[in-house]
Amino acid sequence: MAAAAGTSHDTVIRELLVRYLDACAPAVLHSARRMTYAQANGCRVDPSGVAALRVFGEFADLLHRRRLDLVYVEDDRARQERLADRLAQVVAELGLPEQCRVHTATGALLPALTEAGAFNGPIVAFLDTAGGPAPDAETLAALAHDKGGEVLVVLESGPEPGPGDFRRRLHEAGFAQVTSVELVDAPGRGRALFFGTNAERHVDTVKDALWAVDEYAGVRYRDPADPDRALLDISLTPNVGPLRRLLLDQVRAHGPSTVADLRRYARDETVYRPADATRALQSLVTAGSVRREPAQGRLTTETLILPR
């Protein structure tokens, strides 16, 4: 896949966004009569807005029977007008039905969503605030308490440990499920990516998309939960070394734990997936770093993992 405009971070984030929308949009459109996709700040990287619109174009058959609102908010009127023209061209090119409505605005996201009538229906919001202030608490709370609301947020990050307090802010806003990762390019510049939702299965979907994106220009991941801040290559079967250390620490700190408990920890607190936790636990058992009960057989969710 050729890189489009923007930094290498933008390219990875844009592909993640596309993969996530491609996976979640059909399910949402099947289960709800309407859906809203909202994008603010990141519209300055025009390909991300167009790429999202093209994803929905793949489900035109569903859109004939559903309502889809796409809300784009820019902070500069000239850019907003250029974006509106470009999106209108894409809508015509894709032949989207009239049930698909594109709204562009300047100013704040909440008034734009209210004007579009987006609330009380599923909203997926992409907020790229890298280089600027993080989304405000009112916006996050409105999305968290909306039926089916979820948010993908990009923040700037530096050489010090990532902005863990924003993860807490997402929980405080009302998102039951939050996952995060840092993207680090070859020169060491970082972006922090956060996903907040109340749909547990969507955490699995976004993590699958995260590890499935193509490798670009030396961009690697860093798990904010990892105190060693190890860099991870993007791979369908990622290096689970950092996860092994985290799971070993969990077992030593909390005592005997089931595989199900440790898979849930990996899913809720790290960048890894439950299946990655099973791989890491098997490695720890094989190395003799932990014990298991029963001592033989396949690791199941009920298998107990004990410290040495």
Side-chain angles (χ1 to χ4, degrees):
M1 181 181 294
T7 68
S8 52
H9 298 107
D10 293 321
T11 306
V12 173
I13 292 166
R14 184 164 56 249
E15 189 190 339
L16 171 63
L17 175 67
V18 165
R19 285 180 178 272
Y20 180 67
L21 291 176
D22 190 57
C24 81
V28 173
L29 289 169
H30 273 295
S31 62
R33 299 299 302 175
R34 57 169 304 175
M35 175 183 180
T36 299
Y37 170 74
Q39 184 166 322
N41 309 102
C43 302
R44 54 184 164 72
V45 183
D46 176 61
S48 63
V50 173
L53 181 54
R54 290 190 184 281
V55 171
F56 291 107
E58 297 176 11
F59 309 110
D61 56 330
L62 287 174
L63 298 180
H64 283 285
R65 305 186 300 276
R66 302 288 189 273
R67 175 177 166 181
L68 173 67
D69 289 284
L70 298 106
V71 179
Y72 296 84
V73 177
E74 252 294 356
D75 56 5
D76 178 88
R77 184 165 297 279
R79 286 200 301 266
Q80 179 260 335
E81 291 174 352
R82 289 196 299 270
L83 180 65
D85 290 342
R86 177 67 179 124
L87 294 173
Q89 292 173 1
V90 176
V91 168
E93 174 190 328
L94 296 174
L96 293 174
E98 63 179 12
Q99 291 89 335
C100 177
R101 307 174 187 181
V102 178
H103 315 259
T104 63
T106 56
L109 178 61
L110 282 185
L113 289 172
T114 301
E115 185 174 343
F119 290 106
N120 298 316
I123 301 173
V124 177
F126 171 49
L127 310 178
D128 184 350
T129 59
D136 62 87
E138 184 182 9
T139 298
L140 295 176
L143 292 168
H145 291 94
D146 182 67
K147 182 180 180 181
E150 53 193 36
V151 66
L152 190 69
V153 180
V154 181
L155 302 178
E156 203 80 36
S157 68
E160 297 304 316
D165 60 331
F166 189 73
R167 184 184 178 98
R168 290 191 294 275
R169 285 183 57 192
L170 287 170
H171 279 304
E172 291 167 358
F175 289 108
Q177 304 288 329
V178 178
T179 193
S180 62
V181 64
E182 288 187 74
L183 284 72
V184 183
D185 66 9
R189 295 171 300 216
R191 298 277 178 87
L193 181 72
F194 297 84
F195 177 70
T197 182
N198 291 308
E200 192 171 281
R201 67 187 183 280
H202 286 188
V203 175
D204 298 323
T205 301
V206 83
K207 285 193 175 184
D208 285 341
L210 192 71
W211 291 109
V213 302
D214 292 338
E215 298 180 53
Y216 290 105
V219 172
R220 291 185 288 176
Y221 293 150
R222 178 184 286 141
D223 188 346
D226 178 18
D228 294 334
R229 294 174 56 75
L231 292 173
L232 302 167
D233 290 333
I234 300 173
S235 170
L236 289 173
T237 54
N239 173 16
V240 294
L243 180 58
R244 283 197 299 268
R245 295 191 293 273
L246 289 168
L247 292 173
L248 186 57
D249 288 345
Q250 280 291 111
V251 173
R252 287 172 173 170
H254 301 287
S257 305
T258 64
V259 169
D261 290 335
L262 295 169
R263 282 169 57 94
R264 188 176 304 110
Y265 164 79
R267 183 185 170 284
D268 293 347
E269 302 299 332
T270 81
V271 73
Y272 290 97
R273 299 159 295 186
D276 299 320
T278 301
R279 286 198 297 124
L281 288 170
Q282 185 61 65
S283 176
L284 288 170
V285 170
T286 301
S289 302
V290 296
R291 294 181 295 119
R292 52 163 290 180
E293 292 181 0
Q296 302 296 325
R298 183 174 63 88
L299 281 181
T300 70
T301 53
E302 290 80 23
T303 302
L304 199 61
I305 304 297
L306 304 94
R308 280 287 181 188

